[in-house]
Amino acid sequence: MGRRQRTGAGADGPDISWQHDVDSLNITDEKATSVYRIAHEAIINAIKHANAHHIQVSLIQKNGMLVLSVHDDGSGMPDMQTLPEHYGLAGMEERAMMIGAYLHIDSNPGM
């Protein structure tokens, strides 16, 4: 499946693997930036809040759609409620909505 890249963050950081199977994208800069920001926030959340050690990121085209997936081995989220003073999930939802995308968050401990 497409290209793979592995990025080790060192002794203190998580191991992040990146996989993509997208040869060419015909999307606007706004959509590309939103996908990037959603992926970035998901990775940051996995590191900061779930204490993940391994994170898998994939970007593929499937049935004419661009599909971004971020999986980690972290502790998951205690509930799907947004915590006060934490706006990351709301920001991800807003960015997805602005570009006509669907955001699905599934929180289970581990990969």
Side-chain angles (χ1 to χ4, degrees):
M1 143 133 356
R3 299 168 201 107
R4 291 178 181 259
Q5 181 176 347
R6 191 162 212 83
T7 305
D12 295 334
D15 178 41
I16 300 173
S17 63
W18 165 255
Q19 175 178 321
H20 63 95
D21 192 12
V22 179
D23 292 322
S24 64
L25 292 176
N26 188 18
I27 63 173
T28 65
D29 288 345
E30 176 190 19
K31 287 183 180 180
T33 299
S34 291
V35 170
Y36 167 80
R37 296 285 186 202
I38 291 168
H40 181 262
E41 184 64 32
I43 293 166
I44 294 300
N45 285 345
I47 295 168
K48 281 177 60 175
H49 302 297
N51 198 28
H53 295 96
H54 302 282
I55 301 170
Q56 297 173 341
V57 181
S58 72
L59 185 65
I60 63 170
Q61 285 178 300
K62 184 176 182 179
N63 300 325
M65 296 187 314
L66 187 63
V67 179
L68 168 70
S69 299
V70 180
H71 297 272
D72 65 75
D73 65 349
S75 61
M77 298 182 335
D79 59 40
M80 298 303 280
Q81 301 279 328
T82 302
L83 299 172
E85 306 298 320
H86 292 261
Y87 304 104
L89 294 179
M92 291 168 65
E93 289 174 346
E94 184 176 327
R95 286 185 187 280
M97 187 177 67
M98 286 174 31
I99 62 171
Y102 171 72
L103 179 70
H104 173 78
I105 298 173
D106 191 13
S107 178
N108 294 307
M111 281 192 202

